[in-house]
Amino acid sequence: MEEFQSQAESVLKSKMTNAGLEISAKENGREGVDFIVKGETGKQTEVFLQPMDMIAQQSSKIPKEKLGEPRENLWVALIGFIPDREPLIFLIPSETLAKPDSFVFFENNVGMHTYLSNWEIKVFTKGMEKLGEYIIYNQIENFK
């Protein structure tokens, strides 16, 4: 996944900037935040970046201890890569993960081994309609 990390950062920065938003890398602070996005009104949103190879993977798992507690101003940017295609960018409110639908969004708690607990986002043909709600074009206004 590391090979996609810098590509995902570049794609997200470009799309956010083109949408009139100011995006900067987190310099310090809490775990689970990769970027701070500032809207035109001064609104600040935190973004956790999650790249995904959509050919090799059928789901993306986000460790709970890495993301932290879901909250209103924390979003997950799921960037999906398919060879010879534009990357797919999904902007998902972290609170959505805390209310899994067991269709696209899942919560995996591993009892005593809490470091293994995660939120999972499944990417599959039948789930794309639901996941499509979170495509960047449908969500970008929430950052302004």
Side-chain angles (χ1 to χ4, degrees):
M1 273 335 296
E2 290 180 28
E3 69 269 19
F4 292 119
Q5 185 71 29
S6 64
Q7 273 184 277
E9 289 176 9
S10 178
V11 166
L12 184 63
K13 285 179 181 178
S14 173
K15 293 290 185 184
M16 291 288 197
T17 302
N18 289 344
L21 299 166
E22 181 183 325
I23 182 168
S24 57
K26 173 198 88 164
E27 294 183 19
N28 57 25
R30 65 184 294 286
E31 184 73 25
V33 176
D34 295 306
F35 296 99
I36 304 294
V37 178
K38 292 181 184 171
E40 299 153 348
T41 61
K43 178 181 179 179
Q44 274 195 197
T45 308
E46 298 175 335
V47 178
F48 176 84
L49 185 63
Q50 184 73 14
M52 178 180 182
D53 178 347
M54 295 182 82
I55 299 300
Q57 297 175 272
Q58 295 160 345
S59 70
S60 186
K61 293 182 179 181
I62 302 166
K64 285 186 172 187
E65 70 176 17
K66 191 170 181 186
L67 181 65
E69 280 299 312
R71 59 188 198 290
E72 187 179 340
N73 74 328
L74 176 61
W75 290 62
V76 173
L78 178 66
I79 315 286
F81 293 95
I82 300 172
D84 303 320
R85 300 213 192 270
E86 284 289 315
L88 293 171
I89 304 170
F90 301 99
L91 298 173
I92 304 164
S94 65
E95 291 176 326
T96 300
L97 301 175
K99 300 172 192 154
D101 60 9
S102 298
F103 180 61
V104 173
F105 302 104
F106 295 82
E107 182 175 17
N108 301 311
N109 289 313
V110 187
M112 292 179 7
H113 304 288
T114 55
Y115 63 93
L116 296 174
S117 295
N118 62 67
W119 282 287
E120 184 174 7
I121 304 169
K122 293 203 177 193
V123 180
F124 59 105
T125 305
K126 290 188 179 185
M128 285 308 271
E129 183 175 328
K130 172 72 175 166
L131 202 52
E133 295 173 23
Y134 301 102
I135 199 84
I136 189 169
Y137 306 111
N138 293 337
Q139 297 296 324
I140 201 73
E141 287 301 315
N142 291 310
F143 289 80
K144 293 188 174 186

